[in-house]
Amino acid sequence: MLRPRESRDLRLISSAVTVTQAAAVTWAQDVFGNAVATATFQTMADTLVIDAIATLELNAAAWPVFDIAASAIFYPFRYSDDEWTDLGALTVQQYPDPAGQLRDWAQAFVRANPTDTLALLKDLCAGISIWIAYQSREDEGTQPPIRTLERRFGSCRDFAVLFAEAARSLGFGARIVSGYLYHPDQMIAASGDAGSTHAWAEVFVPGAGWITFDPTNRSVGGANLIPVAVTRDIRQAMPVAGSFVGAANAFQGMSVEVRVTS
């Protein structure tokens, strides 16, 4: 999953994925509409290089204004029957919360009943980075949300999962987004360089549609975000996944480099 997702805010001018050692590459769309390339190899090799280059126009507003439907301006609100059916599993928590620990933590951001829907989601987004310390993690996988709350630190993918699960516990439909972060002054979290891989989340609010929230950087909207994949669960958004046949100790290492230029 390396091809940016086109939308009203992002126009993809060109995209190319090159694989060395030579491979047969086929393209398909998954259930979420993400572009997925599959590479099949016919010969043995000791090195694999995957090079993805894309040129795009990103026109997302830095300070977006959301035209939320009158029925959803205040929380709690009710999705329409069609919206509830279509959101489906995106409204269901994906990680166990048997004692309601995550639900209770999220509920604390509800200041009144009713309360302003967008203000609630903004408070939840900002509250995560206040409650949880950012820490880059190179190890595989994502922390369960309760683990992140207990440890009080996590990476961008941990922040994204915690936000999405907290929003779902409040009755919202939410999805995980994987892609690239562009910030040339390198002054924000999860950006050790002008560009990096990144994870964030989106919440569906009637009228406004899918609203982007980046809890790692306490931001709303996608002005510096380049989405590649949207998924129900972070496990479904791995940029590169696969297997090889060889000796058990054959794997020597992997490096990832992301460069985003304007």
Side-chain angles (χ1 to χ4, degrees):
M1 292 183 178
L2 299 171
R3 178 187 173 95
R5 283 177 63 98
E6 295 187 84
S7 68
R8 68 179 186 276
D9 294 326
L10 189 152
R11 183 169 75 92
L12 191 59
I13 298 171
S14 65
S15 176
V17 176
T18 304
V19 180
T20 310
Q21 177 82 7
V25 178
T26 58
W27 287 88
Q29 284 186 303
D30 66 8
V31 68
F32 303 104
N34 303 310
V36 182
T38 301
T40 305
F41 303 88
Q42 301 299 326
T43 59
M44 299 291 286
D46 58 8
T47 302
L48 171 62
V49 178
I50 302 173
D51 200 17
I53 301 175
T55 303
L56 54 88
E57 286 185 3
L58 183 62
N59 297 307
W63 305 101
V65 176
F66 302 104
D67 189 15
I68 297 175
S71 61
I73 291 176
F74 295 104
Y75 173 88
F77 64 87
R78 185 183 185 279
Y79 287 119
S80 70
D81 291 344
D82 281 342
E83 288 169 340
W84 190 255
T85 298
D86 294 335
L87 286 168
L90 298 179
T91 64
V92 179
Q93 290 177 244
Q94 305 297 306
Y95 294 81
D97 184 23
Q101 181 180 349
L102 175 63
R103 183 192 63 241
D104 292 345
W105 181 83
Q107 193 67 40
F109 291 92
V110 182
R111 310 298 183 188
N113 188 358
T115 192
D116 182 274
T117 299
L118 186 57
L120 166 60
L121 291 170
K122 286 181 176 179
D123 287 347
L124 181 61
C125 179
I128 288 176
S129 60
I130 293 172
W131 186 267
I132 311 295
Y134 174 78
Q135 183 179 92
S136 177
R137 290 195 304 109
E138 298 298 329
D139 48 315
E140 185 178 354
T142 302
Q143 296 178 163
I146 294 176
R147 177 69 166 156
T148 301
L149 286 177
E150 292 172 345
R151 299 182 76 178
R152 300 288 290 269
F153 69 82
S155 66
C156 64
R157 61 189 185 274
D158 302 320
F159 279 49
V161 168
L162 175 58
F163 176 84
E165 288 287 277
R168 288 165 177 165
S169 77
L170 295 175
F172 291 97
R175 62 189 187 183
I176 303 293
V177 189
S178 175
Y180 307 112
L181 172 69
Y182 174 55
H183 211 276
D185 61 16
Q186 304 177 33
M187 293 299 290
I188 59 178
S191 182
D193 203 342
S196 63
T197 55
H198 194 46
W200 59 97
E202 294 177 344
V203 175
F204 185 80
V205 179
W210 290 104
I211 300 179
T212 297
F213 293 91
D214 180 3
T216 305
N217 296 300
R218 305 189 197 182
S219 64
V220 180
N224 61 333
L225 299 172
I226 302 169
V228 170
V230 298
T231 61
R232 169 182 51 84
D233 190 286
I234 190 72
R235 296 177 296 102
Q236 300 167 306
M238 294 178 66
V240 176
S243 60
F244 69 92
V245 176
N249 63 349
F251 183 72
Q252 295 296 309
M254 178 181 68
S255 65
V256 179
E257 180 183 7
V258 177
R259 285 180 289 172
V260 186
T261 60
S262 61

